[in-house]
Amino acid sequence: MAKPPAQVAPGSAYNLVETKPPLPAKLGPRGAAMAATKMASTYDMVEPMKYLYVSVVKARDLPTMDVTGALDPYVEVKLGNFKGVTKHLVKNHNPVWRQTFAFSFANLQSNQLEVIVKDKDTIHDDFVGRIVLDVSDIPECIPPDSPLAPQWYNLSDTHGERFRHGHSLGEIMLAVWIGTQADEAFPEAYHSGAHPLSTAGLTNTRSKVYYSPKLIYLKVCVIGAKDLIGAENSKDPPVKPIITKIQMGGQIRRTRPGQPPANPVWNDEFIFVACEPFEDPLVVTVEEKVAAGRDEPIGRIVIPVAANAPRNDLAKSVASKWFNLSRGMTVDEAAADVTTGTKHREHSKTFASKIHLKMSLETAYHVVEESTHYTSDLQPAAKKLRKSAIGMLEVGILSARGLGGNKNPYCVAKYGAKWVRTRTLLGTAAHAWNEQYIWEVFDLGTVITVAVFNNKNLDGHGDAKDERVGKVRVRLSALESDRVYTHYYPLMALTPGGLKKTGELHLAVRFTCTAWANMLAQYGRPLLPKMHYTSPISVLQLNSLRFLAMQMVATRLGKAEPPLRREVVEYILDADSHMFSLRRSKANFNRIISLFSGALAAGKWFDNICKWKNPLTTSLVHVLFLILVCYPELILSTVFLYIFLIGVWNYRRRPRNPPHMDTVLSHAELAQPDELDEEFDTFPTSKPGDVVRMRYDRLRSVAGRVQTVVGDLAMQGERAQSLLSWRDPRATAMFITLSFIIAIVLYVTPFRVVAVLAGLYLLRHPRLRSKQPSAPFNFYKRLPAKGDMLL
């Protein structure tokens, strides 16, 4: 009889896989010294990869090839079927290229390296000269060795002759060596798989390091204005409501209507996200609401953001200022004046109207651009308020598997303000990067994010969006110091069609602590800078500011070369984490239920003790209870000793691997197709009316159940309040009378006697118990609540 197939545990296909790659960091000092290939100390967490580097520097005394005497030289570097080509230079007999090519030893197809100089022509490129080198004779140059010095080589024709028609074929300066990915030429080199690409496409394949721009909160308090003149009559004060509009780039805020119109008072405070260097000025416009939907400006002032004083401490007061308002100047003209440093003279008129403002750059805050649940940076904007580093985080991005065919993958890692991007792997099924990066660590309560993307912009146009493959998060507090973690992390993509495993990412992670005292002391310090607690920002406002900060980071990084694309930044920063998801709601509900599982288990255990399910355990509990009553000074010490023993007992079952994304916890595998379709819907929705109606009805039913649970919780609290509120006069009279009797009994009876009697009553044998609810429980259930007062 055939055995039934074994059931697969939920989420088992998405577990971590521990590996043991031959990394120098895992071989130990002796093993690393005996390794065949030596690596630089900064590259001890990746596997060595050999490359043949060819640095084409320049040439001289190249011969004339055309009748006109012109020469448009370029260099072709060939190694087997792989070829690299430099740019061609017009009419230059002594060209300078300074381009480096890298050929991977994993794809070595020939033992001869050929460097050919050609003349660019419209019909057929002419051969100028070449040199041929044997790969076995090329020297190795591995860091920390200094770069290899280039040298001159004589060019020869295909027969090995150095002269043609009595004239020399010229010389070329080259540096040719065998190195690894630790070589300083590696990031800027033209790799063998990328040689056929255009210059713009090639730029999008290189590894780069980026830094997020410095973000600062700009706080603006609009206090009031005086001596305003109406929009319709340039001599009389305004009679309609007055508002103030504050604009900085795409951020716009408006005050409430101020009274009286001639000298309005607002005292409204707003927060903007500013980005260094400050490009957009602050434009403050006073407007009169002359009609419904029509606001007419009656005065404007443009203030450079850099003119505001930074504030590093709440104790430092910010002085308010009166500003003169100008009339007849548009926002674009005002911004242009600030940009060029000139004053607008043609249309503006300075008059007596003034506005009262208080502004400051709040550098003591940390500008949040990531989700606060898994942020990588907690430092304030002011450098002098930042903490000192407590260690170093090293990440080796080794390889990936299971990505599928026709993929050109690259990785992006983000921790703190530093972003790193690996090179794009082209035309290979064995996806191996073996690139190592390092970050300073200032707080252990942070998370590093590593994401994999499929490069869709190899043509250099930049029109297509890079495809998401998956991402990995690693929390630093879960890492042991000085231990190298090497695992395959599952890459997952949640789509409207369901959860899909898109591959696995091989990472090596190590945290090295350099300041143990500071690291341990941080567990008692607040997570965010002090200003977040002394002058807190509301959660709703913080979420809107986070969205603005994220857009600024995406815009600035998109201006780099090569750009870190917007879809990449938004995926790393979880731009859509605030959107409603029924799947996430179920997952969070299950998380709350699991929190109470311990209390429910303790209550069940105590119920078994009270019912004498195990007489021996119940007897021991009786003995322990009597000991604690007789010696109450042992209660706290016993509790903490019990906590200590539980922690020591759980040490054997401690997690051996760093945590990763849990599909069971995320409720990803059990999500229904309609739930996922709703999660990936646009905002506002793009679905037809019947689908929206169905989802609305479903949301109403879920909200109805939540409403019932909340009402039940409120009812229990209201019953407790009614004990002394005399809503039920008989119940309150009985309760206060019983309380008076209990007070007298407790006053004349020793506390130990009362505790023993109460404990023995709770632990009494089931034969002494009634199956009916107790009298105190029945009394509480009869107390009135406010549910009958609801409409």
Side-chain angles (χ1 to χ4, degrees):
M1 185 175 179
K3 295 183 179 180
Q7 293 185 350
V8 180
S12 58
Y14 304 94
N15 290 335
L16 290 183
V17 179
E18 188 171 4
T19 61
K20 295 182 179 180
L23 306 183
K26 297 198 109 182
L27 295 177
R30 295 183 62 186
M34 296 172 61
T37 304
K38 297 181 180 180
M39 295 283 287
S41 59
T42 55
Y43 267 74
D44 63 342
M45 291 180 59
V46 292
E47 298 182 44
M49 297 179 67
K50 276 191 174 183
Y51 286 89
L52 173 61
Y53 292 96
V54 181
S55 177
V56 182
V57 183
K58 57 184 176 180
R60 65 185 179 187
D61 302 330
L62 296 180
T64 299
M65 303 301 296
D66 295 339
V67 178
T68 59
L71 180 70
D72 303 333
Y74 70 91
V75 177
E76 189 176 274
V77 183
K78 294 180 65 177
L79 184 64
N81 292 333
F82 292 99
K83 179 174 66 174
V85 181
T86 68
K87 59 183 180 290
H88 77 275
L89 303 178
V90 180
K91 298 181 180 180
N92 196 330
H93 291 267
N94 298 286
V96 177
W97 292 286
R98 299 190 187 280
Q99 290 181 236
T100 303
F101 300 90
F103 298 88
S104 174
F105 260 62
N107 302 321
L108 194 64
Q109 299 175 339
S110 175
N111 292 326
Q112 284 191 333
L113 174 69
E114 192 174 5
V115 181
I116 307 171
V117 180
K118 292 186 176 182
D119 176 28
K120 187 74 173 177
D121 205 343
T122 55
I123 300 176
H124 177 71
D125 295 347
D126 297 324
F127 175 86
V128 177
R130 70 169 186 171
I131 65 166
V132 180
L133 300 175
D134 197 320
V135 174
S136 60
D137 295 333
I138 296 176
E140 287 197 22
C141 183
I142 299 176
D145 294 346
S146 299
L148 186 68
Q151 58 184 359
W152 289 101
Y153 293 87
N154 292 316
L155 294 173
S156 60
D157 59 13
T158 56
H159 302 290
E161 299 293 334
R162 294 173 47 196
F163 295 91
R164 180 186 299 150
H165 305 300
H167 297 285
S168 171
L169 296 179
E171 295 176 294
I172 186 170
M173 178 181 281
L174 301 175
V176 184
W177 72 98
I178 296 173
T180 65
Q181 70 270 37
D183 201 289
E184 64 178 16
F186 179 79
E188 296 296 330
Y190 294 77
H191 290 266
S192 54
H195 293 164
L197 299 179
S198 63
T199 304
L202 185 63
T203 304
N204 287 325
T205 65
R206 290 176 172 172
S207 56
K208 289 292 180 182
V209 176
Y210 307 82
Y211 279 90
S212 296
K214 184 179 179 181
L215 302 178
I216 305 174
Y217 286 143
L218 173 64
K219 188 175 289 187
V220 179
C221 181
V222 184
I223 302 173
K226 65 179 181 180
D227 301 331
L228 298 180
I229 298 176
E232 298 180 348
N233 193 330
S234 60
K235 296 182 180 180
D236 299 331
V239 295
K240 303 292 180 63
I242 301 296
I243 65 169
T244 299
K245 182 179 76 172
I246 309 100
Q247 180 176 358
M248 188 179 71
Q251 305 176 60
I252 300 176
R253 305 285 189 274
R254 287 181 170 86
T255 65
R256 52 188 170 80
Q259 295 293 337
N263 300 290
V265 176
W266 295 285
N267 284 317
D268 288 346
E269 189 174 82
F270 306 96
I271 298 180
F272 298 83
V273 180
C275 179
E276 287 190 348
F278 305 118
E279 297 177 351
D280 298 318
L282 191 70
V283 182
V284 182
T285 308
V286 179
E287 297 179 343
E288 182 181 4
K289 301 180 75 68
V290 295
R294 181 185 166 203
D295 299 337
E296 289 291 338
I298 60 176
R300 181 175 286 119
I301 178 68
V302 181
I303 306 169
V305 175
N308 298 294
R311 184 171 67 154
N312 300 329
D313 192 0
L314 187 63
K316 181 181 177 181
S317 61
V318 178
S320 59
K321 296 181 180 178
W322 286 96
F323 294 89
N324 293 330
L325 293 173
S326 299
R327 194 163 184 165
M329 179 169 53
T330 65
V331 176
D332 294 336
E333 292 171 340
D337 288 348
V338 173
T339 304
T340 59
T342 59
K343 293 184 179 181
H344 188 81
R345 300 177 181 273
E346 185 176 353
H347 301 289
S348 62
K349 299 177 182 178
T350 302
F351 65 108
S353 297
K354 297 179 181 294
I355 188 169
H356 197 191
L357 302 175
K358 184 167 66 174
M359 299 173 292
S360 60
L361 289 168
E362 301 292 338
T363 56
Y365 285 99
H366 166 67
V367 179
V368 179
E369 79 274 9
E370 301 173 279
S371 174
T372 54
H373 303 298
Y374 34 83
T375 183
S376 65
D377 188 14
L378 298 168
Q379 296 281 68
K383 286 187 176 180
K384 68 177 184 180
L385 298 180
R386 296 178 182 176
K387 310 171 188 174
S388 57
I390 61 171
M392 307 297 293
L393 173 65
E394 297 165 275
V395 176
I397 303 177
L398 304 179
S399 60
R401 67 184 183 185
L403 300 183
N406 199 22
K407 287 281 197 306
N408 300 310
Y410 67 92
C411 296
V412 176
K414 196 262 181 188
Y415 182 77
K418 182 179 177 181
W419 302 65
V420 299
R421 170 179 174 160
T422 67
R423 71 189 188 281
T424 301
L425 302 180
L426 303 171
T428 177
H431 300 126
W433 291 280
N434 283 302
E435 297 184 23
Q436 182 174 339
Y437 299 95
I438 188 169
W439 287 267
E440 280 189 314
V441 177
F442 298 91
D443 199 305
L444 277 182
T446 48
V447 174
I448 182 173
T449 304
V450 185
V452 183
F453 298 89
N454 181 25
N455 198 331
K456 293 287 189 178
N457 291 278
L458 298 178
D459 55 0
H461 298 303
D463 299 330
K465 288 187 176 182
D466 289 347
E467 176 188 355
R468 301 176 179 179
V469 178
K471 64 182 172 184
V472 173
R473 297 192 194 102
V474 179
R475 183 168 290 276
L476 270 61
S477 59
L479 303 178
E480 298 177 11
S481 298
D482 301 319
R483 175 185 169 185
V484 179
Y485 293 83
T486 53
H487 294 86
Y488 270 109
Y489 290 81
L491 299 173
M492 294 163 280
L494 193 62
T495 64
L499 181 66
K500 178 183 177 183
K501 185 175 182 179
T502 54
E504 293 177 297
L505 180 63
H506 197 190
L507 296 179
V509 182
R510 176 174 62 193
F511 168 69
T512 304
C513 180
T514 57
W516 277 93
N518 289 342
M519 180 185 69
L520 298 178
Q522 278 190 353
Y523 282 90
R525 296 170 184 164
L527 197 63
L528 291 169
K530 183 175 67 174
M531 187 68 86
H532 285 267
Y533 305 96
T534 55
S535 181
I537 303 173
S538 66
V539 176
L540 186 63
Q541 189 175 22
L542 203 61
N543 288 334
S544 63
L545 292 174
R546 176 194 168 229
F547 179 77
L548 293 171
M550 182 183 59
Q551 296 298 319
M552 285 189 174
V553 172
T555 301
R556 286 294 177 91
L557 294 181
K559 296 179 180 179
E561 188 63 34
L564 201 59
R565 301 180 60 83
R566 177 174 293 273
E567 63 268 18
V568 173
V569 176
E570 291 180 351
Y571 184 54
I572 294 284
L573 298 180
D574 269 344
D576 55 353
S577 61
H578 65 287
M579 301 298 293
F580 172 76
S581 168
L582 190 58
R583 175 189 60 85
R584 286 199 196 103
S585 300
K586 290 181 178 179
N588 290 331
F589 178 77
N590 291 333
R591 290 169 61 193
I592 293 176
I593 294 300
S594 65
L595 289 178
F596 293 100
S597 61
L600 294 175
K604 186 177 180 180
W605 174 83
F606 185 73
D607 184 65
N608 293 335
I609 293 295
C610 295
K611 294 180 178 179
W612 290 71
K613 293 292 182 67
N614 189 333
L616 178 60
T617 304
T618 305
S619 301
L620 292 177
V621 170
H622 277 77
V623 174
L624 178 62
F625 171 71
L626 293 175
I627 292 175
L628 294 178
V629 170
C630 296
Y631 302 97
E633 62 274 9
L634 298 178
I635 294 177
L636 287 178
S637 59
T638 303
V639 170
F640 285 105
L641 179 62
Y642 186 62
I643 294 174
F644 169 77
L645 293 176
I646 292 176
V648 173
W649 179 262
N650 290 338
Y651 181 77
R652 301 181 308 159
R653 297 177 293 176
R654 69 190 186 277
R656 304 287 181 170
N657 301 326
H660 66 290
M661 295 186 184
D662 193 335
T663 58
V664 177
L665 180 67
S666 304
H667 211 270
E669 293 182 287
L670 302 177
Q672 299 298 320
D674 184 66
E675 296 175 2
L676 295 175
D677 185 63
E678 180 183 15
E679 182 174 343
F680 287 95
D681 191 10
T682 58
F683 187 84
T685 182
S686 58
K687 299 298 178 181
D690 55 343
V691 176
V692 176
R693 188 180 302 108
M694 182 271 294
R695 291 175 179 172
Y696 175 66
D697 292 338
R698 180 178 62 190
L699 184 61
R700 288 179 63 190
S701 65
V702 173
R705 291 194 291 269
V706 174
Q707 172 183 289
T708 302
V709 173
V710 173
D712 291 340
L713 294 176
M715 184 176 295
Q716 303 307 320
E718 290 167 355
R719 283 174 176 169
Q721 290 179 344
S722 65
L723 285 172
L724 299 174
S725 65
W726 293 92
R727 287 196 60 208
D728 187 341
R730 285 167 292 276
T732 302
M734 293 172 61
F735 178 73
I736 62 175
T737 302
L738 183 61
S739 300
F740 181 71
I741 295 173
I742 292 175
I744 296 176
V745 171
L746 293 177
Y747 185 75
V748 300
T749 307
F751 175 75
R752 293 182 180 179
V753 176
V754 175
V756 169
L757 293 177
L760 294 177
Y761 176 78
L762 290 175
L763 299 174
R764 66 191 185 278
H765 197 272
R767 294 181 179 180
L768 303 177
R769 296 176 182 273
S770 173
K771 294 184 179 181
Q772 300 294 327
S774 62
F777 182 79
N778 293 332
F779 179 80
Y780 186 80
K781 291 287 288 185
R782 290 177 176 274
L783 292 173
K786 297 180 180 180
D788 54 349
M789 301 169 60
L790 292 176
L791 290 176

